[in-house]
Coordinates of all heavy atoms in Angstrom, one line a residue:
D461 N -8.7 16.5 4.6 CA -7.4 15.9 4.9 C -7.6 14.6 5.7 O -8.6 14.4 6.3 CB -6.5 16.8 5.7 CG -6.2 18.1 4.9 OD1 -6.2 18.0 3.7 OD2 -5.8 19.1 5.6
S462 N -6.6 13.7 5.6 CA -6.5 12.5 6.4 C -7.7 11.6 6.2 O -8.1 10.8 7.2 CB -6.4 12.9 7.9 OG -5.3 13.7 8.1
A463 N -8.3 11.5 5.0 CA -9.4 10.6 4.8 C -8.9 9.2 4.7 O -7.8 8.9 4.2 CB -10.1 11.0 3.5
Q464 N -9.8 8.3 5.1 CA -9.5 6.8 4.9 C -10.7 6.3 4.1 O -11.9 6.4 4.5 CB -9.5 6.1 6.3 CG -8.3 6.5 7.1 CD -8.2 5.6 8.4 OE1 -8.9 4.6 8.5 NE2 -7.3 6.0 9.3
I465 N -10.4 5.9 2.9 CA -11.4 5.5 1.9 C -11.1 4.0 1.5 O -10.0 3.7 1.0 CB -11.3 6.4 0.6 CG1 -11.5 7.8 1.0 CG2 -12.4 6.0 -0.4 CD1 -11.3 8.8 -0.1
G466 N -12.2 3.2 1.6 CA -12.0 1.8 1.2 C -13.2 1.4 0.3 O -14.3 1.7 0.5
S467 N -12.9 0.6 -0.8 CA -13.9 0.1 -1.7 C -13.5 -1.3 -2.1 O -12.4 -1.6 -2.5 CB -14.0 1.0 -2.9 OG -14.9 0.5 -3.8
S468 N -14.5 -2.2 -2.0 CA -14.3 -3.6 -2.3 C -15.0 -4.0 -3.6 O -14.8 -5.1 -4.1 CB -14.6 -4.5 -1.2 OG -16.0 -4.4 -0.9
G469 N -15.8 -3.1 -4.2 CA -16.5 -3.5 -5.4 C -15.7 -3.2 -6.6 O -14.7 -2.5 -6.6
D470 N -16.2 -3.8 -7.7 CA -15.5 -3.6 -9.0 C -15.8 -2.2 -9.6 O -16.8 -1.6 -9.3 CB -15.9 -4.6 -10.0 CG -15.5 -6.0 -9.6 OD1 -14.5 -6.1 -8.8 OD2 -16.0 -7.0 -10.1
S471 N -14.9 -1.7 -10.5 CA -15.0 -0.5 -11.3 C -15.3 0.7 -10.4 O -16.0 1.7 -10.8 CB -16.2 -0.7 -12.2 OG -16.1 -1.8 -13.0
A472 N -14.6 0.8 -9.2 CA -14.7 2.0 -8.4 C -14.0 3.1 -8.9 O -12.9 3.0 -9.5 CB -14.2 1.6 -7.0
Q473 N -14.5 4.3 -8.7 CA -13.8 5.6 -9.0 C -13.6 6.4 -7.8 O -14.6 6.8 -7.2 CB -14.6 6.4 -10.1 CG -14.7 5.7 -11.4 CD -15.5 6.5 -12.5 OE1 -15.9 7.5 -12.2 NE2 -15.5 6.0 -13.7
I474 N -12.4 6.5 -7.3 CA -12.1 7.1 -6.0 C -11.2 8.3 -6.2 O -10.2 8.2 -6.8 CB -11.5 6.1 -5.1 CG1 -12.3 4.9 -4.9 CG2 -11.2 6.8 -3.7 CD1 -11.6 3.7 -4.2
G475 N -11.6 9.5 -5.7 CA -10.8 10.7 -5.8 C -10.7 11.3 -4.5 O -11.6 11.4 -3.7
S476 N -9.5 11.8 -4.2 CA -9.2 12.5 -2.9 C -8.2 13.7 -3.2 O -7.2 13.5 -3.9 CB -8.6 11.6 -1.9 OG -8.2 12.3 -0.7
S477 N -8.6 14.9 -2.7 CA -7.7 16.0 -2.9 C -7.1 16.5 -1.6 O -6.3 17.4 -1.6 CB -8.6 17.2 -3.5 OG -9.6 17.6 -2.6
G478 N -7.4 15.8 -0.5 CA -6.8 16.2 0.8 C -5.5 15.6 1.0 O -5.1 14.6 0.4
D479 N -4.7 16.2 2.0 CA -3.4 15.6 2.3 C -3.6 14.3 3.2 O -4.6 14.1 3.9 CB -2.6 16.6 3.1 CG -2.3 17.9 2.3 OD1 -2.4 17.7 1.0 OD2 -2.0 18.9 2.9
S480 N -2.5 13.5 3.1 CA -2.4 12.3 4.0 C -3.6 11.4 3.9 O -4.0 10.7 4.8 CB -2.3 12.8 5.5 OG -1.3 13.7 5.7
A481 N -4.1 11.2 2.7 CA -5.2 10.3 2.4 C -4.7 8.9 2.4 O -3.6 8.6 2.0 CB -5.9 10.6 1.1
K482 N -5.6 8.0 2.9 CA -5.3 6.5 2.8 C -6.4 5.9 2.0 O -7.6 6.0 2.4 CB -5.2 5.9 4.2 CG -4.2 6.4 5.1 CD -4.2 5.6 6.4 CE -3.3 6.3 7.4 NZ -3.9 7.4 8.1
I483 N -6.1 5.4 0.8 CA -7.1 4.8 -0.1 C -6.8 3.4 -0.4 O -5.7 3.0 -0.8 CB -7.1 5.6 -1.4 CG1 -7.3 7.1 -1.2 CG2 -8.2 5.1 -2.4 CD1 -7.2 8.0 -2.4
G484 N -7.8 2.5 -0.2 CA -7.6 1.1 -0.5 C -8.7 0.6 -1.3 O -9.9 0.9 -1.1
S485 N -8.4 -0.2 -2.4 CA -9.4 -0.8 -3.2 C -9.0 -2.2 -3.5 O -7.9 -2.5 -3.9 CB -9.5 0.0 -4.5 OG -10.4 -0.6 -5.4
S486 N -10.0 -3.1 -3.4 CA -9.7 -4.5 -3.7 C -10.5 -5.1 -4.9 O -10.3 -6.2 -5.3 CB -10.0 -5.4 -2.5 OG -11.4 -5.3 -2.1
G487 N -11.3 -4.2 -5.5 CA -12.0 -4.6 -6.7 C -11.3 -4.4 -8.0 O -10.2 -3.7 -8.0
Y488 N -11.8 -5.0 -9.0 CA -11.1 -4.8 -10.4 C -11.5 -3.5 -11.0 O -12.5 -2.9 -10.6 CB -11.6 -6.0 -11.3 CG -11.2 -7.3 -10.8 CD1 -12.0 -8.4 -11.1 CD2 -10.1 -7.6 -10.1 CE1 -11.7 -9.7 -10.7 CE2 -9.7 -8.8 -9.7 CZ -10.5 -9.9 -10.0 OH -10.2 -11.2 -9.6
Y489 N -10.7 -3.1 -12.0 CA -10.9 -1.9 -12.8 C -11.1 -0.6 -12.0 O -11.8 0.3 -12.4 CB -12.2 -2.1 -13.6 CG -12.3 -3.4 -14.4 CD1 -13.0 -4.4 -14.0 CD2 -11.5 -3.5 -15.6 CE1 -13.0 -5.6 -14.7 CE2 -11.5 -4.7 -16.3 CZ -12.3 -5.7 -15.8 OH -12.3 -6.9 -16.5
A490 N -10.4 -0.5 -10.8 CA -10.5 0.7 -10.0 C -9.8 1.8 -10.7 O -8.7 1.6 -11.3 CB -9.9 0.4 -8.6
Q491 N -10.3 3.0 -10.5 CA -9.6 4.2 -10.9 C -9.5 5.1 -9.7 O -10.5 5.6 -9.1 CB -10.5 5.0 -12.0 CG -10.6 4.2 -13.3 CD -11.3 4.9 -14.4 OE1 -11.8 6.0 -14.2 NE2 -11.4 4.3 -15.6
I492 N -8.3 5.4 -9.3 CA -8.0 6.1 -8.1 C -7.1 7.3 -8.3 O -6.1 7.2 -9.0 CB -7.3 5.1 -7.1 CG1 -8.1 3.8 -6.8 CG2 -7.0 5.8 -5.7 CD1 -7.3 2.8 -6.0
G493 N -7.6 8.4 -7.9 CA -6.8 9.6 -8.1 C -6.6 10.4 -6.7 O -7.6 10.5 -5.9
S494 N -5.4 10.9 -6.5 CA -5.2 11.7 -5.3 C -4.3 12.8 -5.6 O -3.3 12.7 -6.3 CB -4.5 10.8 -4.3 OG -4.1 11.6 -3.1
S495 N -4.6 14.0 -5.2 CA -3.8 15.2 -5.5 C -3.2 15.8 -4.2 O -2.5 16.8 -4.3 CB -4.7 16.3 -6.2 OG -5.8 16.7 -5.3
G496 N -3.5 15.2 -3.1 CA -2.9 15.8 -1.9 C -1.5 15.2 -1.6 O -1.1 14.2 -2.2
Y497 N -0.8 15.8 -0.6 CA 0.5 15.3 -0.2 C 0.4 14.0 0.7 O -0.6 13.8 1.3 CB 1.3 16.4 0.5 CG 1.5 17.6 -0.3 CD1 1.6 18.9 0.3 CD2 1.7 17.5 -1.7 CE1 1.9 20.0 -0.4 CE2 2.0 18.7 -2.4 CZ 2.1 19.9 -1.8 OH 2.3 21.0 -2.5
Y498 N 1.5 13.3 0.7 CA 1.6 12.1 1.7 C 0.5 11.1 1.5 O 0.1 10.4 2.4 CB 1.6 12.6 3.1 CG 2.6 13.7 3.4 CD1 2.2 15.1 3.5 CD2 3.9 13.4 3.5 CE1 3.1 16.1 3.7 CE2 4.9 14.4 3.8 CZ 4.4 15.8 3.9 OH 5.3 16.7 4.1
A499 N 0.0 11.0 0.3 CA -1.1 10.0 0.1 C -0.5 8.6 0.1 O 0.6 8.3 -0.3 CB -1.8 10.2 -1.3
K500 N -1.3 7.6 0.6 CA -1.0 6.2 0.6 C -2.1 5.5 -0.1 O -3.2 5.5 0.4 CB -0.8 5.7 2.1 CG 0.4 6.4 2.8 CD 0.5 5.8 4.2 CE 1.7 6.4 4.9 NZ 1.5 7.8 5.1
I501 N -1.8 4.9 -1.2 CA -2.8 4.3 -2.1 C -2.4 2.8 -2.3 O -1.3 2.5 -2.7 CB -2.8 5.0 -3.5 CG1 -3.1 6.5 -3.3 CG2 -3.9 4.4 -4.3 CD1 -3.0 7.3 -4.5
G502 N -3.4 2.0 -2.0 CA -3.2 0.5 -2.2 C -4.3 -0.1 -3.1 O -5.5 0.2 -2.8
S503 N -4.0 -0.9 -4.0 CA -5.0 -1.6 -4.9 C -4.6 -3.0 -5.1 O -3.4 -3.3 -5.4 CB -5.1 -0.8 -6.2 OG -5.9 -1.5 -7.1
S504 N -5.5 -3.9 -4.9 CA -5.2 -5.3 -5.1 C -5.9 -6.0 -6.2 O -5.7 -7.1 -6.6 CB -5.5 -6.1 -3.8 OG -6.9 -6.0 -3.5
G505 N -6.8 -5.2 -6.9 CA -7.5 -5.7 -8.0 C -6.8 -5.5 -9.3 O -5.9 -4.7 -9.4
D506 N -7.2 -6.3 -10.4 CA -6.6 -6.1 -11.7 C -7.0 -4.9 -12.4 O -8.1 -4.3 -12.1 CB -6.9 -7.4 -12.5 CG -6.3 -8.6 -12.0 OD1 -5.3 -8.5 -11.2 OD2 -6.8 -9.7 -12.3
Y507 N -6.3 -4.4 -13.4 CA -6.6 -3.3 -14.3 C -6.8 -2.0 -13.6 O -7.5 -1.1 -14.0 CB -7.9 -3.7 -15.1 CG -7.8 -5.0 -15.8 CD1 -8.4 -6.1 -15.3 CD2 -7.1 -5.1 -17.0 CE1 -8.4 -7.3 -16.0 CE2 -7.0 -6.3 -17.7 CZ -7.7 -7.4 -17.2 OH -7.6 -8.6 -17.8
A508 N -6.1 -1.8 -12.5 CA -6.3 -0.6 -11.7 C -5.6 0.6 -12.4 O -4.5 0.4 -13.1 CB -5.7 -0.7 -10.3
K509 N -6.1 1.7 -12.3 CA -5.5 3.0 -12.8 C -5.4 3.9 -11.6 O -6.4 4.3 -11.0 CB -6.4 3.6 -13.9 CG -6.5 2.8 -15.2 CD -7.3 3.5 -16.3 CE -7.4 2.6 -17.5 NZ -8.2 3.2 -18.6
I510 N -4.1 4.2 -11.3 CA -3.9 5.0 -10.1 C -3.1 6.2 -10.5 O -2.0 6.1 -11.1 CB -3.1 4.2 -9.1 CG1 -3.8 2.9 -8.7 CG2 -2.8 5.0 -7.8 CD1 -3.0 1.9 -7.9
G511 N -3.6 7.4 -10.1 CA -2.9 8.6 -10.3 C -2.7 9.4 -9.1 O -3.6 9.5 -8.2
S512 N -1.5 10.0 -8.9 CA -1.2 10.8 -7.7 C -0.4 12.0 -8.2 O 0.6 11.9 -8.9 CB -0.5 10.0 -6.7 OG -0.1 10.8 -5.6
S513 N -0.8 13.2 -7.7 CA 0.0 14.4 -8.1 C 0.7 15.1 -6.9 O 1.4 16.0 -7.1 CB -0.9 15.4 -8.8 OG -2.0 15.8 -7.9
G514 N 0.5 14.6 -5.7 CA 1.1 15.2 -4.6 C 2.4 14.6 -4.3 O 2.8 13.5 -4.7
D515 N 3.2 15.4 -3.5 CA 4.6 14.9 -3.1 C 4.5 13.8 -2.0 O 3.5 13.7 -1.3 CB 5.4 16.1 -2.5 CG 5.7 17.1 -3.6 OD1 5.6 16.8 -4.8 OD2 5.9 18.3 -3.2
Y516 N 5.5 13.0 -2.0 CA 5.7 12.0 -1.0 C 4.6 10.9 -1.0 O 4.3 10.3 0.0 CB 5.8 12.6 0.4 CG 6.8 13.7 0.6 CD1 6.4 15.0 0.6 CD2 8.1 13.4 0.6 CE1 7.3 16.1 0.7 CE2 9.1 14.4 0.7 CZ 8.6 15.8 0.7 OH 9.5 16.8 0.8
A517 N 4.1 10.7 -2.2 CA 3.0 9.6 -2.3 C 3.6 8.2 -2.1 O 4.8 8.0 -2.6 CB 2.3 9.7 -3.6
K518 N 2.9 7.3 -1.5 CA 3.3 5.9 -1.5 C 2.2 5.1 -2.1 O 1.0 5.1 -1.7 CB 3.5 5.5 0.0 CG 4.6 6.2 0.7 CD 4.8 5.6 2.1 CE 6.0 6.3 2.8 NZ 6.2 5.8 4.2
I519 N 2.5 4.5 -3.2 CA 1.5 3.8 -4.0 C 1.9 2.3 -4.2 O 3.0 2.0 -4.6 CB 1.5 4.4 -5.5 CG1 1.1 5.9 -5.3 CG2 0.4 3.7 -6.3 CD1 1.2 6.6 -6.7
G520 N 1.0 1.4 -3.9 CA 1.2 0.0 -4.0 C 0.1 -0.7 -4.7 O -1.1 -0.4 -4.5
S521 N 0.5 -1.6 -5.7 CA -0.5 -2.3 -6.4 C -0.1 -3.7 -6.6 O 1.1 -4.0 -7.0 CB -0.7 -1.7 -7.8 OG -1.6 -2.4 -8.6
S522 N -1.0 -4.7 -6.3 CA -0.6 -6.1 -6.5 C -1.4 -6.8 -7.6 O -1.2 -8.0 -7.9 CB -0.9 -6.8 -5.2 OG -2.2 -6.8 -4.8
G523 N -2.3 -6.1 -8.3 CA -3.0 -6.6 -9.3 C -2.3 -6.6 -10.7 O -1.3 -5.8 -10.8
Y524 N -2.8 -7.3 -11.6 CA -2.2 -7.3 -13.0 C -2.7 -6.1 -13.8 O -3.7 -5.5 -13.5 CB -2.6 -8.6 -13.7 CG -2.1 -9.9 -13.1 CD1 -2.9 -11.0 -13.2 CD2 -0.9 -9.9 -12.4 CE1 -2.4 -12.2 -12.7 CE2 -0.5 -11.1 -11.8 CZ -1.2 -12.3 -12.0 OH -0.8 -13.4 -11.4
Y525 N -1.8 -5.7 -14.8 CA -2.2 -4.7 -15.7 C -2.4 -3.3 -15.1 O -3.2 -2.5 -15.6 CB -3.4 -5.1 -16.6 CG -3.3 -6.5 -17.2 CD1 -4.0 -7.5 -16.7 CD2 -2.4 -6.7 -18.2 CE1 -3.9 -8.8 -17.2 CE2 -2.3 -8.0 -18.8 CZ -3.0 -9.0 -18.2 OH -2.9 -10.3 -18.8
A526 N -1.8 -3.1 -14.0 CA -1.9 -1.8 -13.3 C -1.3 -0.7 -14.1 O -0.2 -0.9 -14.7 CB -1.3 -1.8 -11.9
Q527 N -1.9 0.5 -14.1 CA -1.3 1.7 -14.7 C -1.2 2.7 -13.6 O -2.2 3.2 -13.1 CB -2.2 2.2 -15.9 CG -2.3 1.2 -17.0 CD -3.2 1.8 -18.2 OE1 -3.6 2.9 -18.2 NE2 -3.4 0.9 -19.2
I528 N 0.0 3.1 -13.3 CA 0.3 4.0 -12.2 C 1.0 5.2 -12.7 O 2.0 5.1 -13.3 CB 1.1 3.3 -11.1 CG1 0.4 2.0 -10.6 CG2 1.4 4.2 -9.9 CD1 1.2 1.1 -9.7
G529 N 0.5 6.4 -12.3 CA 1.1 7.6 -12.7 C 1.3 8.5 -11.5 O 0.4 8.6 -10.6
S530 N 2.5 9.1 -11.3 CA 2.8 10.0 -10.2 C 3.6 11.1 -10.7 O 4.6 11.0 -11.4 CB 3.6 9.2 -9.1 OG 4.0 10.1 -8.1
S531 N 3.1 12.4 -10.3 CA 3.8 13.6 -10.8 C 4.5 14.3 -9.6 O 5.2 15.3 -9.8 CB 2.9 14.5 -11.5 OG 1.8 14.9 -10.6
G532 N 4.3 13.8 -8.4 CA 4.9 14.5 -7.2 C 6.3 14.0 -7.0 O 6.7 13.0 -7.4
G533 N 7.0 14.8 -6.2 CA 8.4 14.5 -5.8 C 8.4 13.4 -4.7 O 7.5 13.3 -4.0

Side-chain angles (χ1 to χ4, degrees):
D461 296 339
S462 306
Q464 294 188 11
I465 303 171
S467 175
S468 62
D470 295 340
S471 305
Q473 295 181 356
I474 303 171
S476 175
S477 61
D479 297 339
S480 306
K482 301 184 187 77
I483 303 172
S485 174
S486 61
Y488 298 149
Y489 309 102
Q491 295 183 358
I492 303 171
S494 175
S495 61
Y497 298 150
Y498 308 102
K500 297 181 177 66
I501 303 172
S503 174
S504 62
D506 296 340
Y507 306 101
K509 295 181 180 179
I510 303 171
S512 174
S513 62
D515 295 339
Y516 308 104
K518 295 183 179 181
I519 303 172
S521 174
S522 61
Y524 297 149
Y525 310 105
Q527 295 182 4
I528 301 172
S530 174
S531 61

